[in-house]
Amino acid sequence: MQIIIQPDPTAVSAMAARLVARLLHDDGRAVLGLASGKTPLGLYAELARMHREEDLDFHRVTTFNLDEYVGLPPEHPASYHSFMTEHLFRHINVDPTRAHVLDGMADDIPECCSHYERDIRESGGIDLQILGIGREGHIGFNEPSSSLASRTRIKTLTETTRVDNADQFGSVEDVPRHVVTMGIGTILDSKACLLLAFGKEKAAAIAKAVEGPVSAMVPASVLQMHEHATVLVDEDAAAELRLADYYRHVFEHKPAWQIP
Ligand code: F6R
């Protein structure tokens, strides 16, 4: 894994945006896997700025979001459909027919999940998957104990995740109990993964994901098995990494062409 520690969330978001922009310059038809939640907000704002001011072009890009709440219509303000429109899609020139978000209202959820898997496969596969991490180590909504081979499916949220996401709903009771999420196996099929994290509340999860054993109890730890996984964090989220100095040293001595 490549571990990059930056001073603050702004620097993390700027570097993540440069990585995405580099991919799009190399391949205008790239397929992006996207996350929602607080973590990627700075990244999306920076991508919107690059589109506006630097002509970063998304018109042939395909996107797949990681997850969606079950039972929320796309127009619900707390749905991830709404989130993506509000924070990214309406600010860039992505083709709406190529911007995929799971349907939390589908009558046949298993069928909808297998279509999603098929669509990802038929797109040629995800080139870069953006990930956040839950306090208990989830990626997507693959909560602790998720199968490390899982595919897109329905999952039940833990109480911790419902509490953490309550601000979008007003109260914990209003947070849906079920979600549809890409599986860990689906995420691992991406050609590259970029996990972002900020803040002290993510420090324990980051330490377990990067330096702990690979375990279904910390789903993000499976990134240790990925050939091209980058963990890009601020100083606060890096606070519990035992080898933080080593990761800084490795990064400082990287050849210039490898630095985003
Ligand atoms: C959201 C997702 C989740 C979040 C994670 C962190 O699409 O897949 O794994 O990335 O819960 O959430 P924030 O960024 O709000 O701390």
Side-chain angles (χ1 to χ4, degrees), residues 35-40 66-67 80 131-134 138-141 202:
S36 33
K38 292 180 264 310
T39 305
L66 279 165
D67 38 29
Y80 285 159
L131 298 164
I133 186 169
H138 71 211
I139 46 175
F141 277 135
K202 299 290 175 74

Side-chain angles (χ1 to χ4, degrees), residues 1 16 48 50 60 69 117 233 240 251:
M1 281 191 190
M50 287 173 154
R60 290 180 307 162
Y69 293 104
E117 290 278 337
V233 295
E240 293 184 31
F251 186 67

Side-chain angles (χ1 to χ4, degrees), residues 102-125:
L102 279 153
D103 179 4
M105 295 293 283
D107 289 334
D108 187 340
I109 293 223
E111 176 73 5
C112 155
C113 293
S114 27
H115 276 161
Y116 208 65
E117 290 278 337
R118 192 202 54 206
D119 289 346
I120 293 174
R121 261 194 323 275
E122 288 180 356
S123 74

Side-chain angles (χ1 to χ4, degrees), residues 5-23:
I5 304 171
Q6 290 291 290
D8 53 42
T10 308
V12 169
S13 300
M15 187 174 281
R18 288 198 296 277
L19 280 166
V20 173
R22 181 189 286 177
L23 171 66

